[in-house]
Amino acid sequence: MQHASPIIFYDGLCGLCDKSVQFVLKHDKKQLFRFATLQSDYAKQILGDVKEDSFVLYDNNTLYMRSTAALRTAKHLSGLWPLLYALVLVPAFIRDGVYRFIAQNRYKWFGKYDSCKIPDAATQSRFIA
């Protein structure tokens, strides 16, 4: 299924993931990205059997995961954030090792919600149910 806008799939129960989505919303001045939780039926439809637990970018019919997804997202944000994309030069096994360490501890460090948060009225149109 082809989409005009890149879609960020995130763990809707994760405090860090929610803060990351809020960060992207704030710095995505072109309103390029759309969002869907990994818990949604839509995610199951698009991602199928992918068992990623925190952050997936679906762009041009391609799935990007872990640090690559985060860096590709940063590349499109306003300000100096696109400079982070240079970190793709670091081998993926190193980047993803750091990513996995944070992902494994995200609930402990940033909390876990009982249910997915509902977007506010100003950003609701950017979320896919």
Side-chain angles (χ1 to χ4, degrees):
M1 186 179 298
Q2 185 70 25
H3 292 272
S5 298
I7 301 167
I8 294 173
F9 292 95
Y10 66 99
D11 181 350
L13 304 177
C14 168
L16 174 60
C17 301
D18 178 63
K19 287 175 183 18
S20 298
V21 167
Q22 297 309 314
F23 180 86
V24 172
L25 284 167
K26 179 179 178 182
H27 295 282
D28 180 16
K29 301 298 183 193
K30 296 177 184 174
Q31 297 188 0
L32 176 67
F33 295 101
R34 300 293 178 257
F35 305 89
T37 66
L38 289 166
Q39 292 81 4
S40 68
D41 290 334
Y42 184 73
K44 290 174 185 68
Q45 177 186 353
I46 297 296
L47 302 178
D49 291 336
V50 172
K51 301 293 186 216
E52 189 61 27
D53 64 354
S54 52
F55 192 87
V56 177
L57 176 64
Y58 182 68
D59 188 13
N60 289 324
N61 221 24
T62 303
L63 291 176
Y64 300 96
M65 298 187 204
R66 295 179 284 283
S67 64
T68 303
L71 293 173
R72 289 184 70 86
T73 299
K75 180 177 166 179
H76 296 286
L77 300 180
S78 62
L80 298 176
W81 298 110
L83 295 176
L84 288 176
Y85 190 70
L87 291 173
V88 298
L89 298 174
V90 174
F93 76 92
I94 295 172
R95 288 185 282 120
D96 287 344
V98 172
Y99 181 93
R100 283 186 185 102
F101 176 74
I102 294 168
Q104 289 170 348
N105 292 287
R106 70 189 191 279
Y107 292 144
K108 180 171 46 172
W109 295 342
F110 297 94
K112 182 176 180 179
Y113 303 121
D114 292 330
S115 62
C116 297
K117 290 177 66 176
I118 298 172
D120 62 26
T123 61
Q124 193 167 17
S125 66
R126 301 197 45 204
F127 287 79
I128 303 167

